């Protein structure tokens, strides 16, 4: 839990933050975006990225975001998570966001499926990408173009005093019937302002310091199921739907750490029907 | 109205519902004497300091003047003239209720005041933080003596957090470069209720719990029974949720108990039918709550819910294309935390 998000830090250090919002994207030329070129080199060097990759990974997001601060994104994968071959990482890249690499998810065979649903902020018209790295080292990418504006520099939430009062409240639940050895769907909700620090406080003339959940770890019966390095790309009150495989009775546990190193945890007992 | 609480408003043309605008405006209630007979004579045009064309206003009660904004999204084409703005003339001074969607519009509102009376503007009251209601403030802040700005106790924090975003959006959508100086913070904050004396008439201000926003303030002119609701009430224009849905419904229950002769919404025509004027909005917000709760119970995700309900429950409203799906998103994000 202690490791800071080195990956995100290195991306930030590239100076992409300042450049990103200046980028324009052509919906029909997803490879042309300069920020993407830099992110690509930084994360994957010259390695081939297969696309389209529908058999391995697909990405769903609205064509036009209704609320740029809460854009639902659904990543679905086509591989079974076997020890022999599975998806190890899924990178979420939003080219024209202030922080283009918004999340890096790590999956294991115990994930069952490397699917993930979440909500993100989207700053402007942009390509959104989900890139899967398989355990045998292949890269596969799904891309969508989303029209949105103002998500990341957007002001904090609709009820600022309530947001702080509920800080760190969590919900973790398993959806539907659970059978031993079968992938089960779960949802984690974290009450957190998760703000970007990009909105200037006009009273103080200072930017509010960014304050967000930076790390999420999920385990079942002590085994890692899913973890994520994330930032303020994720919407207020981070919300994830993911899968895990309960092989027997056990505790599904979620821990999160924010940028003030506050830690929050919750757990739920899971007893698969036999 | 919130056009871009969390992002920019859609800069596309208006949907088919827009043709219904004329019909909605046509049901405006008959208003009492529109001729300005009692007040001091209007100033000659050359004395209107700003040189701006006065905004058209109607006298909805003696000495109570209302400008009804267009039922549109905030844009360059309408100069930000989309919210209702008002002023109340006392024997000593004038209170302005919402300053408008741009400094230019604020200047036109000031010109409307000047066309009516030479009395000083002593208060500028903002009903909530949304830019179509507050970005005209600079025109009044430049006055000598400077009026005092009045708002909900949570207004300043919200405006502080949002102002940079609003200014950027104003530049993008109105094509008007604005400065931080155009953002005016309150001198007087209302945490509960406050009485303002304009000479011979008093305004009662009341701060509400989180509803349309977290800083909604109503203004009650007791002598004539006019209640300015800000965006706690929408008429015609689809209600827009930028606060708390359940809070808004609870606030409407309390509002329904008030004795009101004339209710002035933040968008759309005023109404004498009280509390009946709340009913369409209640129906819409109740429907939003019930449908989203049902979707949550059925295990639907946010995306599934917005897709499934995106076309429902908006028949009688304008601007549903622009705001209904956002409302569904906001309602879902709120109600998913219910026990
Ligand atoms: Zn509003």
């Amino acid at each position: 839990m202690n490791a800071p998000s080195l990956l995100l830090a290195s991306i930030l250090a590239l100076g992409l933050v300042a450049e990103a919002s200046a980028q324009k994207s052509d919906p029909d030329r997803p490879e042309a975006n300069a920020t993407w070129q830099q992110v690509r080199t930084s994360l994957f060097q010259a390695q081939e990225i297969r696309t389209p990759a529908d058999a391995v990974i697909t990405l769903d997001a609205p064509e036009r975001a209704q609320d740029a601060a809460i854009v639902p994104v659904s990543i679905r994968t086509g591989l079974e998570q076997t020890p022999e071959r599975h998806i190890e990482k899924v990178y979420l890249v939003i080219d024209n966001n202030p922080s283009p690499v918004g999340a890096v998810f790590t999956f294991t065979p115990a994930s069952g499926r490397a699917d993930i649903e979440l909500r993100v902020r989207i700053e402007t018209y942009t390509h959104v990408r989900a890139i899967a790295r398989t355990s045998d080292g292949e890269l596969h990418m799904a891309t969508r173009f989303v029209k949105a504006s103002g998500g990341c520099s957007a002001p904090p939430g609709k009820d600022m005093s309530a947001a702080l009062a509920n800080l760190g409240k969590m919900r973790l639940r398993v959806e539907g019937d659970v059978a031993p050895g079968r992938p089960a769907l779960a949802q984690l909700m974290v009450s957190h302002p998760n703000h970007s620090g990009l909105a200037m406080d006009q009273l103080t003339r200072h930017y509010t310091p960014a304050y967000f959940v930076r790390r999420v770890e999920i385990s079942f019966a002590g085994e890692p199921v899913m973890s994520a390095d994330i930032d303020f790309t994720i919407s207020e009150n981070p919300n994830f739907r993911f899968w895990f495989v309960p092989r027997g009775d056990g505790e599904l546990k979620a821990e999160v750490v924010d940028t003030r190193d506050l830690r929050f945890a919750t757990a739920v007992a899971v007893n698969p029907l036999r | 109205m919130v056009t871009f609480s969390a992002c920019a408003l859609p800069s596309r043309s208006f949907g088919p519902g827009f043709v219904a605008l004329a019909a909605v405006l046509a049901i405006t209630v008959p208003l009492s004497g529109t001729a300005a007979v009692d007040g001091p004579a209007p100033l000659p045009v050359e004395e209107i300091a700003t040189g701006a064309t006065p905004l058209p206003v109607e006298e909805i009660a003696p000495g109570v003047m209302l400008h009804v904004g267009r039922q549109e999204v905030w844009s360059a084409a309408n100069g930000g003239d989309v919210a209702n703005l008002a002023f109340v003339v006392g024997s000593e001074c004038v209170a302005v209720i919402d300053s408008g969607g741009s400094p230019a519009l604020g200047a036109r509102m000031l010109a409307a005041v000047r066309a009516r009376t030479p009395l000083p503007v002593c208060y500028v009251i903002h009903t909530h933080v949304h830019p179509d209601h507050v970005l005209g403030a600079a025109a009044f802040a430049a006055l000598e003596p400077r009026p005092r700005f009045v708002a909900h106790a949570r207004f300043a924090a919200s405006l502080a957090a949002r102002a940079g975003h609003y200014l950027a959006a104003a530049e993008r959508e109105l094509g008007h470069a604005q400065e931080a100086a155009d953002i005016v913070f309150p001198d007087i904050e209302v945490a509960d209720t406050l009485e303002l004396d304009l000479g011979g008439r008093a305004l009662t201000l009341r701060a509400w719990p989180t509803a349309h926003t977290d800083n909604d303030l109503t203004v009650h002119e007791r002598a004539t029974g006019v209640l300015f609701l800000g965006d706690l009430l929408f008429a015609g224009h689809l209600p827009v949720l930028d606060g708390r849905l359940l809070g808004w419904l609870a606030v409407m229950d309390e509002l329904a108990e008030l004795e009101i002769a004339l209710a002035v919404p933040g968008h759309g025509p005023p109404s004498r039918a009280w509390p009946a004027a709340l009913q369409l909005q209640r129906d819409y917000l109740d429907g939003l709550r019930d449908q989203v709760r049902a979707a949550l119970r059925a295990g639907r995700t946010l995306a599934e819910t917005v897709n499934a309900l995106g076309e429902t429950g908006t028949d009688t409203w304008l601007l549903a294309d622009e705001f209904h799906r956002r409302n569904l998103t906001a309602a879902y994000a709120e109600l998913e935390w219910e026990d």
Side-chain angles (χ1 to χ4, degrees):
Chain A
M1 285 302 269
N2 282 319
S5 170
L6 293 176
L7 177 68
L8 297 182
S10 69
I11 295 294
L12 293 175
L14 282 175
L16 296 182
V17 169
E19 274 177 53
S21 44
Q23 296 294 335
K24 289 246 161 51
S25 282
D26 178 346
D28 300 322
R29 297 178 62 223
E31 286 309 305
N33 182 278
T35 303
W36 163 240
Q37 298 286 350
Q38 285 178 273
V39 170
R40 189 199 192 290
T41 304
S42 159
L43 292 178
F44 311 117
Q45 293 76 46
Q47 197 186 333
E48 181 197 2
I49 301 179
R50 291 162 201 237
T51 185
D54 292 2
V56 178
I57 190 164
T58 59
L59 171 65
D60 199 21
E63 216 173 288
R64 179 182 288 277
Q66 300 304 320
D67 182 339
I70 314 178
V71 183
V73 169
S74 171
I75 296 166
R76 292 205 165 76
T77 56
L79 283 191
E80 231 182 291
Q81 293 288 98
T82 63
E84 296 72 42
R85 185 164 187 254
H86 56 270
I87 291 171
E88 280 182 349
K89 299 266 186 201
V90 171
Y91 302 83
L92 180 69
V93 176
I94 302 173
D95 291 2
N96 294 342
N97 263 8
S99 169
V101 184
V104 181
F105 297 97
T106 302
F107 297 98
T108 69
S111 311
R113 299 184 195 174
D115 293 9
I116 189 98
E117 284 184 36
L118 68 160
R119 301 164 193 174
V120 298
R121 297 186 166 102
I122 297 188
E123 181 67 16
T124 184
Y125 287 27
T126 186
H127 285 101
V128 178
R129 305 160 191 277
I131 301 125
R133 183 197 290 280
T134 58
S135 55
D136 52 7
E138 288 178 3
L139 294 171
H140 299 262
M141 177 165 73
T143 305
R144 290 291 290 257
F145 192 75
V146 176
K147 297 172 180 172
S149 43
C152 292
S153 56
K158 302 182 191 318
D159 192 337
M160 297 202 296
S161 40
L164 283 177
N166 294 323
L167 180 74
K169 203 168 131 190
M170 292 168 84
R171 287 215 184 156
L172 180 63
R173 65 171 160 242
V174 181
E175 299 184 10
D177 292 336
V178 179
R182 293 264 196 82
L185 181 61
Q187 182 181 34
L188 173 67
M189 297 163 60
V190 184
S191 184
H192 199 287
N194 225 60
H195 60 68
S196 64
L198 296 175
M200 181 189 271
D201 186 322
Q202 297 289 327
L203 271 180
T204 60
R205 308 298 299 156
H206 287 114
Y207 287 97
T208 330
Y211 182 40
F212 54 87
V213 173
R214 61 175 173 81
R215 176 84 178 158
V216 176
E217 294 192 355
I218 314 276
S219 62
F220 178 72
E223 291 281 316
V225 165
M226 186 277 276
S227 63
D229 292 310
I230 59 177
D231 68 12
F232 54 77
T233 298
I234 309 304
S235 302
E236 180 180 4
N237 299 337
N239 191 313
F240 303 96
R241 293 171 92 235
F242 58 92
W243 296 81
F244 71 105
V245 181
R247 306 224 170 259
D249 292 353
E251 194 181 56
L252 184 68
K253 191 174 178 197
E255 286 183 76
V256 306
V257 186
D258 73 16
T259 50
R260 291 178 193 162
D261 282 335
L262 292 180
R263 283 153 195 278
F264 309 100
T266 190
V268 58
V270 179
N271 309 105
L273 305 165
R274 278 167 227 284
Chain B
M1 175 182 66
V2 47
T3 48
F4 45 85
S5 68
C7 62
L9 64 166
S11 32
R12 58 203 153 111
S13 56
F14 307 116
F18 191 62
V19 292
L21 171 62
V24 169
L25 291 181
I27 62 167
T28 304
V29 294
L31 301 170
S32 61
T34 48
V37 284
D38 297 331
L43 289 179
V45 173
E46 57 272 21
E47 286 189 44
I48 295 172
T50 59
T53 312
L55 274 182
V57 291
E58 265 184 289
E59 188 161 19
I60 57 173
V64 181
M65 313 296 292
L66 175 67
H67 170 72
V68 177
R70 296 161 185 245
Q71 301 255 25
E72 296 175 8
V73 291
W74 192 75
S75 75
N78 56 39
D81 180 13
V82 296
N84 291 349
L85 314 175
F87 61 92
V88 179
V89 185
S91 64
E92 288 169 22
C93 65
V94 176
V96 170
I97 301 166
D98 284 344
S99 59
S102 67
L105 205 70
R108 292 191 61 195
M109 188 60 184
L110 176 58
V113 174
R114 285 289 164 263
R116 164 78 192 201
T117 173
L119 290 172
V121 177
C122 46
Y123 300 108
V124 176
I125 303 160
H126 283 138
T127 60
H128 65 293
V129 76
H130 285 151
D132 49 335
H133 299 259
V134 307
L135 286 185
F140 297 95
L143 288 173
E144 272 306 327
R146 187 179 184 273
R148 298 217 278 170
F149 287 79
V150 189
H152 191 295
R154 286 197 296 252
F155 175 99
S158 185
L159 183 62
R162 292 165 176 243
H165 184 62
Y166 286 174
L167 294 177
E171 184 156 5
R172 186 174 63 236
E173 304 300 336
L174 299 188
H176 171 78
Q178 288 191 236
E179 293 160 20
D182 292 339
I183 298 293
V184 182
F185 287 93
D187 307 302
I188 301 172
E189 299 190 332
V190 185
D192 182 12
T193 60
L194 178 73
E195 198 102 336
L196 296 178
D197 185 5
L198 308 180
R201 67 198 309 168
L203 301 179
T204 306
L205 279 51
R206 180 164 171 187
W208 295 88
T210 301
H212 166 66
T213 65
D214 71 358
N215 56 92
D216 300 308
L217 183 77
T218 54
V219 182
H220 195 184
E221 205 286 306
R222 286 191 184 279
T224 58
V226 178
L227 181 70
F228 295 93
L229 288 125
D231 284 1
L232 287 174
L233 179 63
F234 284 74
H237 184 311
L238 188 78
V240 178
L241 176 60
D242 190 28
R244 210 169 77 82
L245 175 57
L246 300 182
W248 199 350
L249 286 165
V251 164
M252 286 170 65
D253 287 340
E254 285 196 59
L255 289 169
E257 301 296 316
L258 302 178
E259 295 279 331
I260 296 173
L262 183 62
V264 181
H267 299 266
S271 172
R272 296 193 186 284
W274 193 261
L278 290 166
Q279 193 57 46
L280 280 176
Q281 174 169 295
R282 172 172 297 284
D283 291 346
Y284 172 72
L285 295 178
D286 276 349
L288 195 63
R289 175 197 60 196
D290 294 347
Q291 288 186 301
V292 169
R293 276 183 178 160
L296 283 160
R297 271 198 303 274
R300 285 197 168 146
T301 65
L302 170 61
E304 288 164 355
T305 302
V306 172
N307 286 337
L309 301 176
E311 312 290 330
T312 60
T314 59
D315 293 351
T316 58
W317 297 100
L318 302 173
L319 304 174
D321 287 353
E322 284 73 9
F323 297 110
H324 180 52
R325 287 164 174 259
R326 287 182 56 127
N327 287 342
L328 286 166
T329 304
Y332 188 104
E334 173 185 333
L335 297 177
E336 70 184 333
W337 285 91
E338 281 190 304
D339 290 312

